[in-house]
Amino acid sequence: MNILIKTLQIINFKGIKNFSIDFNHITNVYGANATGKTTIFDAFLWLLFGKDSNDRKDFNVKPLDTQGNKKDRTENEVSAILSIDGEEITIRHIQKEKWVKKRGESVSEYT
Protein backbone atom coordinates (compact mmCIF):
# COMPACT_ATOMS: atom_id res chain seq x y z
CA MET A 1 0.00 0.00 0.00
CA ASN A 2 1.36 3.41 -1.00
CA ILE A 3 0.14 6.43 1.04
CA LEU A 4 1.21 10.00 0.24
CA ILE A 5 0.17 13.25 1.94
CA LYS A 6 -0.79 15.77 -0.77
CA THR A 7 -1.94 18.74 1.34
CA LEU A 8 -2.57 19.59 4.98
CA GLN A 9 -4.89 22.46 6.04
CA ILE A 10 -4.90 23.66 9.67
CA ILE A 11 -7.46 26.17 11.02
CA ASN A 12 -7.58 27.45 14.63
CA PHE A 13 -5.39 24.67 16.00
CA LYS A 14 -3.24 25.55 19.00
CA GLY A 15 -1.00 28.43 17.83
CA ILE A 16 -1.97 28.24 14.14
CA LYS A 17 -4.83 30.39 12.90
CA ASN A 18 -4.84 29.33 9.23
CA PHE A 19 -2.06 27.38 7.54
CA SER A 20 -1.78 25.15 4.50
CA ILE A 21 1.09 22.91 3.38
CA ASP A 22 1.41 21.51 -0.12
CA PHE A 23 3.42 18.29 -0.14
CA ASN A 24 3.68 17.86 -3.95
CA HIS A 25 7.47 18.07 -3.79
CA ILE A 26 9.97 17.16 -1.10
CA THR A 27 8.85 19.24 1.87
CA ASN A 28 11.00 20.08 4.90
CA VAL A 29 9.46 21.54 8.03
CA TYR A 30 12.12 23.39 10.00
CA GLY A 31 12.56 26.53 12.07
CA ALA A 32 13.60 27.95 15.42
CA ASN A 33 12.21 26.67 18.70
CA ALA A 34 8.55 27.52 19.43
CA THR A 35 7.67 28.32 15.80
CA GLY A 36 5.05 25.56 15.28
CA LYS A 37 6.84 22.46 13.99
CA THR A 38 5.40 20.21 16.70
CA THR A 39 2.01 21.88 16.31
CA ILE A 40 1.94 20.82 12.65
CA PHE A 41 2.80 17.25 13.67
CA ASP A 42 0.20 17.33 16.47
CA ALA A 43 -2.42 18.54 13.97
CA PHE A 44 -1.70 15.62 11.65
CA LEU A 45 -1.83 13.10 14.52
CA TRP A 46 -5.08 14.66 15.81
CA LEU A 47 -6.55 14.32 12.32
CA LEU A 48 -5.69 10.62 12.09
CA PHE A 49 -5.84 9.38 15.69
CA GLY A 50 -7.35 12.11 17.91
CA LYS A 51 -4.11 12.34 19.92
CA ASP A 52 -1.04 14.58 20.10
CA SER A 53 2.64 13.64 19.75
CA ASN A 54 2.76 12.71 23.45
CA ASP A 55 -0.07 10.17 22.93
CA ARG A 56 -2.58 12.29 24.89
CA LYS A 57 -6.27 12.48 23.93
CA ASP A 58 -7.05 15.31 26.35
CA PHE A 59 -4.67 17.99 25.10
CA ASN A 60 -5.75 21.56 24.29
CA VAL A 61 -6.34 22.22 20.58
CA LYS A 62 -7.87 25.67 21.11
CA PRO A 63 -5.93 28.77 20.09
CA LEU A 64 -4.89 31.21 22.83
CA ASP A 65 -5.64 34.92 23.10
CA THR A 66 -3.00 37.58 23.83
CA GLN A 67 -3.23 36.90 27.60
CA GLY A 68 -2.64 33.15 27.10
CA ASN A 69 -6.25 32.11 27.77
CA LYS A 70 -8.13 29.61 25.58
CA LYS A 71 -10.34 31.28 22.97
CA ASP A 72 -13.89 30.04 23.35
CA ARG A 73 -16.42 29.75 20.53
CA THR A 74 -13.85 28.71 17.96
CA GLU A 75 -14.14 25.86 15.50
CA ASN A 76 -10.94 23.85 15.19
CA GLU A 77 -10.30 21.99 11.96
CA VAL A 78 -7.56 19.93 10.36
CA SER A 79 -8.02 18.43 6.89
CA ALA A 80 -5.78 16.58 4.48
CA ILE A 81 -5.81 15.18 0.99
CA LEU A 82 -4.13 11.78 0.90
CA SER A 83 -3.24 9.65 -2.10
CA ILE A 84 -3.75 5.97 -1.30
CA ASP A 85 -2.58 3.68 -4.09
CA GLY A 86 -3.20 6.51 -6.56
CA GLU A 87 -6.73 7.32 -5.32
CA GLU A 88 -7.17 10.71 -3.62
CA ILE A 89 -9.28 10.96 -0.48
CA THR A 90 -10.02 13.92 1.78
CA ILE A 91 -10.29 13.54 5.54
CA ARG A 92 -11.33 16.19 8.08
CA HIS A 93 -11.45 16.43 11.85
CA ILE A 94 -13.54 19.29 13.22
CA GLN A 95 -14.14 20.22 16.84
CA LYS A 96 -17.18 22.39 17.50
CA GLU A 97 -18.38 23.79 20.80
CA LYS A 98 -21.98 23.72 21.93
CA TRP A 99 -23.00 26.80 23.91
CA VAL A 100 -26.47 26.82 25.45
CA LYS A 101 -28.41 29.65 27.06
CA LYS A 102 -30.82 28.20 29.59
CA ARG A 103 -34.29 29.66 29.87
CA GLY A 104 -34.22 32.75 32.09
CA GLU A 105 -30.41 33.01 32.02
CA SER A 106 -28.58 35.90 30.40
CA VAL A 107 -25.28 34.09 29.83
CA SER A 108 -24.64 31.05 27.63
CA GLU A 109 -22.59 28.20 29.03
CA TYR A 110 -20.50 25.54 27.41
CA THR A 111 -22.02 22.06 27.53
Side-chain angles (χ1 to χ4, degrees), residues 98-110:
K98 183 175 181 181
W99 288 81
V100 176
K101 186 192 291 187
K102 293 182 181 176
R103 188 177 311 157
E105 298 288 325
S106 61
V107 178
S108 298
E109 64 181 42
Y110 177 67

Side-chain angles (χ1 to χ4, degrees), residues 71-110:
K71 286 185 183 178
D72 289 328
R73 301 177 191 262
T74 59
E75 189 171 289
N76 316 93
E77 177 180 348
V78 178
S79 60
I81 298 174
L82 304 177
S83 175
I84 301 176
D85 291 334
E87 182 180 341
E88 285 191 2
I89 64 164
T90 302
I91 55 175
R92 290 175 45 190
H93 189 160
I94 301 172
Q95 181 182 45
K96 296 181 181 183
E97 291 183 347
K98 183 175 181 181
W99 288 81
V100 176
K101 186 192 291 187
K102 293 182 181 176
R103 188 177 311 157
E105 298 288 325
S106 61
V107 178
S108 298
E109 64 181 42
Y110 177 67

